[in-house]
PDB file of all heavy atoms in Angstrom:
ATOM      1  N   THR Q  53      34.200-159.671  28.911  1.00  0.00           N
ATOM      2  CA  THR Q  53      34.807-160.715  28.127  1.00  0.00           C
ATOM      3  C   THR Q  53      35.716-160.087  27.054  1.00  0.00           C
ATOM      4  O   THR Q  53      35.693-158.907  26.743  1.00  0.00           O
ATOM      5  CB  THR Q  53      33.683-161.479  27.415  1.00  0.00           C
ATOM      6  OG1 THR Q  53      32.974-160.640  26.530  1.00  0.00           O
ATOM      7  CG2 THR Q  53      32.725-162.111  28.468  1.00  0.00           C
ATOM      8  N   TRP Q  54      36.543-160.958  26.378  1.00  0.00           N
ATOM      9  CA  TRP Q  54      37.535-160.447  25.430  1.00  0.00           C
ATOM     10  C   TRP Q  54      36.749-159.917  24.196  1.00  0.00           C
ATOM     11  O   TRP Q  54      37.209-158.924  23.622  1.00  0.00           O
ATOM     12  CB  TRP Q  54      38.383-161.618  24.985  1.00  0.00           C
ATOM     13  CG  TRP Q  54      39.274-161.233  23.851  1.00  0.00           C
ATOM     14  CD1 TRP Q  54      39.213-161.651  22.549  1.00  0.00           C
ATOM     15  CD2 TRP Q  54      40.345-160.304  23.838  1.00  0.00           C
ATOM     16  NE1 TRP Q  54      40.163-161.133  21.749  1.00  0.00           N
ATOM     17  CE2 TRP Q  54      40.854-160.179  22.554  1.00  0.00           C
ATOM     18  CE3 TRP Q  54      40.872-159.462  24.835  1.00  0.00           C
ATOM     19  CZ2 TRP Q  54      41.893-159.371  22.200  1.00  0.00           C
ATOM     20  CZ3 TRP Q  54      41.932-158.593  24.491  1.00  0.00           C
ATOM     21  CH2 TRP Q  54      42.443-158.590  23.230  1.00  0.00           C
ATOM     22  N   SER Q  55      35.603-160.488  23.869  1.00  0.00           N
ATOM     23  CA  SER Q  55      34.888-159.991  22.696  1.00  0.00           C
ATOM     24  C   SER Q  55      34.327-158.582  22.959  1.00  0.00           C
ATOM     25  O   SER Q  55      34.114-157.798  22.034  1.00  0.00           O
ATOM     26  CB  SER Q  55      33.669-160.926  22.380  1.00  0.00           C
ATOM     27  OG  SER Q  55      32.781-161.042  23.541  1.00  0.00           O
ATOM     28  N   GLU Q  56      34.104-158.285  24.234  1.00  0.00           N
ATOM     29  CA  GLU Q  56      33.703-156.904  24.552  1.00  0.00           C
ATOM     30  C   GLU Q  56      34.911-155.970  24.655  1.00  0.00           C
ATOM     31  O   GLU Q  56      34.783-154.760  24.323  1.00  0.00           O
ATOM     32  CB  GLU Q  56      32.989-156.881  25.899  1.00  0.00           C
ATOM     33  CG  GLU Q  56      31.642-157.637  25.883  1.00  0.00           C
ATOM     34  CD  GLU Q  56      31.028-157.757  27.268  1.00  0.00           C
ATOM     35  OE1 GLU Q  56      31.783-158.016  28.232  1.00  0.00           O
ATOM     36  OE2 GLU Q  56      29.771-157.629  27.360  1.00  0.00           O
ATOM     37  N   MET Q  57      36.050-156.508  25.087  1.00  0.00           N
ATOM     38  CA  MET Q  57      37.236-155.699  25.222  1.00  0.00           C
ATOM     39  C   MET Q  57      37.841-155.280  23.813  1.00  0.00           C
ATOM     40  O   MET Q  57      38.368-154.214  23.654  1.00  0.00           O
ATOM     41  CB  MET Q  57      38.346-156.398  26.027  1.00  0.00           C
ATOM     42  CG  MET Q  57      38.002-156.606  27.497  1.00  0.00           C
ATOM     43  SD  MET Q  57      39.367-157.447  28.289  1.00  0.00           S
ATOM     44  CE  MET Q  57      38.648-157.758  29.886  1.00  0.00           C
ATOM     45  N   GLN Q  58      37.805-156.260  22.891  1.00  0.00           N
ATOM     46  CA  GLN Q  58      38.545-156.091  21.651  1.00  0.00           C
ATOM     47  C   GLN Q  58      38.236-154.816  20.910  1.00  0.00           C
ATOM     48  O   GLN Q  58      39.130-154.096  20.488  1.00  0.00           O
ATOM     49  CB  GLN Q  58      38.348-157.354  20.773  1.00  0.00           C
ATOM     50  CG  GLN Q  58      39.183-157.353  19.547  1.00  0.00           C
ATOM     51  CD  GLN Q  58      39.056-158.605  18.726  1.00  0.00           C
ATOM     52  OE1 GLN Q  58      38.326-159.536  19.117  1.00  0.00           O
ATOM     53  NE2 GLN Q  58      39.771-158.731  17.624  1.00  0.00           N
ATOM     54  N   PRO Q  59      36.934-154.527  20.573  1.00  0.00           N
ATOM     55  CA  PRO Q  59      36.602-153.320  19.881  1.00  0.00           C
ATOM     56  C   PRO Q  59      37.053-152.027  20.618  1.00  0.00           C
ATOM     57  O   PRO Q  59      37.541-151.096  20.037  1.00  0.00           O
ATOM     58  CB  PRO Q  59      35.138-153.316  19.668  1.00  0.00           C
ATOM     59  CG  PRO Q  59      34.632-154.294  20.692  1.00  0.00           C
ATOM     60  CD  PRO Q  59      35.703-155.289  20.922  1.00  0.00           C
ATOM     61  N   LEU Q  60      36.942-152.079  21.936  1.00  0.00           N
ATOM     62  CA  LEU Q  60      37.368-150.927  22.754  1.00  0.00           C
ATOM     63  C   LEU Q  60      38.891-150.694  22.617  1.00  0.00           C
ATOM     64  O   LEU Q  60      39.334-149.557  22.417  1.00  0.00           O
ATOM     65  CB  LEU Q  60      37.013-151.091  24.213  1.00  0.00           C
ATOM     66  CG  LEU Q  60      35.540-151.131  24.580  1.00  0.00           C
ATOM     67  CD1 LEU Q  60      35.326-151.484  26.043  1.00  0.00           C
ATOM     68  CD2 LEU Q  60      34.913-149.746  24.305  1.00  0.00           C
ATOM     69  N   LEU Q  61      39.638-151.802  22.718  1.00  0.00           N
ATOM     70  CA  LEU Q  61      41.114-151.677  22.632  1.00  0.00           C
ATOM     71  C   LEU Q  61      41.524-151.321  21.286  1.00  0.00           C
ATOM     72  O   LEU Q  61      42.513-150.514  21.073  1.00  0.00           O
ATOM     73  CB  LEU Q  61      41.764-153.011  23.033  1.00  0.00           C
ATOM     74  CG  LEU Q  61      41.556-153.444  24.497  1.00  0.00           C
ATOM     75  CD1 LEU Q  61      42.051-154.803  24.755  1.00  0.00           C
ATOM     76  CD2 LEU Q  61      42.317-152.419  25.393  1.00  0.00           C
ATOM     77  N   GLU Q  62      40.907-151.794  20.219  1.00  0.00           N
ATOM     78  CA  GLU Q  62      41.270-151.462  18.810  1.00  0.00           C
ATOM     79  C   GLU Q  62      41.078-150.008  18.543  1.00  0.00           C
ATOM     80  O   GLU Q  62      41.996-149.350  17.990  1.00  0.00           O
ATOM     81  CB  GLU Q  62      40.497-152.299  17.830  1.00  0.00           C
ATOM     82  CG  GLU Q  62      40.890-153.784  17.813  1.00  0.00           C
ATOM     83  CD  GLU Q  62      40.024-154.573  16.827  1.00  0.00           C
ATOM     84  OE1 GLU Q  62      39.058-153.992  16.331  1.00  0.00           O
ATOM     85  OE2 GLU Q  62      40.290-155.775  16.621  1.00  0.00           O
ATOM     86  N   GLN Q  63      39.926-149.464  18.969  1.00  0.00           N
ATOM     87  CA  GLN Q  63      39.668-148.067  18.767  1.00  0.00           C
ATOM     88  C   GLN Q  63      40.648-147.193  19.626  1.00  0.00           C
ATOM     89  O   GLN Q  63      41.113-146.162  19.175  1.00  0.00           O
ATOM     90  CB  GLN Q  63      38.257-147.724  19.153  1.00  0.00           C
ATOM     91  CG  GLN Q  63      37.872-146.264  18.896  1.00  0.00           C
ATOM     92  CD  GLN Q  63      37.974-145.887  17.450  1.00  0.00           C
ATOM     93  OE1 GLN Q  63      37.528-146.600  16.562  1.00  0.00           O
ATOM     94  NE2 GLN Q  63      38.514-144.702  17.165  1.00  0.00           N
ATOM     95  N   ALA Q  64      40.918-147.631  20.845  1.00  0.00           N
ATOM     96  CA  ALA Q  64      41.799-146.880  21.754  1.00  0.00           C
ATOM     97  C   ALA Q  64      43.255-146.877  21.137  1.00  0.00           C
ATOM     98  O   ALA Q  64      43.917-145.859  21.214  1.00  0.00           O
ATOM     99  CB  ALA Q  64      41.775-147.539  23.149  1.00  0.00           C
ATOM    100  N   CYS Q  65      43.719-147.961  20.615  1.00  0.00           N
ATOM    101  CA  CYS Q  65      45.053-148.022  20.004  1.00  0.00           C
ATOM    102  C   CYS Q  65      45.125-147.075  18.809  1.00  0.00           C
ATOM    103  O   CYS Q  65      46.099-146.303  18.665  1.00  0.00           O
ATOM    104  CB  CYS Q  65      45.381-149.456  19.578  1.00  0.00           C
ATOM    105  SG  CYS Q  65      45.736-150.621  20.919  1.00  0.00           S
ATOM    106  N   TRP Q  66      44.070-147.097  17.949  1.00  0.00           N
ATOM    107  CA  TRP Q  66      44.120-146.168  16.843  1.00  0.00           C
ATOM    108  C   TRP Q  66      44.065-144.743  17.283  1.00  0.00           C
ATOM    109  O   TRP Q  66      44.801-143.859  16.724  1.00  0.00           O
ATOM    110  CB  TRP Q  66      42.905-146.483  15.944  1.00  0.00           C
ATOM    111  CG  TRP Q  66      42.628-145.434  14.919  1.00  0.00           C
ATOM    112  CD1 TRP Q  66      41.557-144.591  14.808  1.00  0.00           C
ATOM    113  CD2 TRP Q  66      43.501-145.077  13.842  1.00  0.00           C
ATOM    114  NE1 TRP Q  66      41.712-143.748  13.742  1.00  0.00           N
ATOM    115  CE2 TRP Q  66      42.856-144.032  13.131  1.00  0.00           C
ATOM    116  CE3 TRP Q  66      44.708-145.522  13.388  1.00  0.00           C
ATOM    117  CZ2 TRP Q  66      43.440-143.429  12.021  1.00  0.00           C
ATOM    118  CZ3 TRP Q  66      45.270-144.935  12.237  1.00  0.00           C
ATOM    119  CH2 TRP Q  66      44.648-143.915  11.564  1.00  0.00           C
TER     120      TRP Q  66
END
Side-chain angles (χ1 to χ4, degrees):
T53 63
W54 173 250
S55 59
E56 294 173 322
M57 293 181 188
Q58 186 175 0
L60 293 173
L61 291 172
E62 288 177 354
Q63 184 61 45
C65 288
W66 167 246

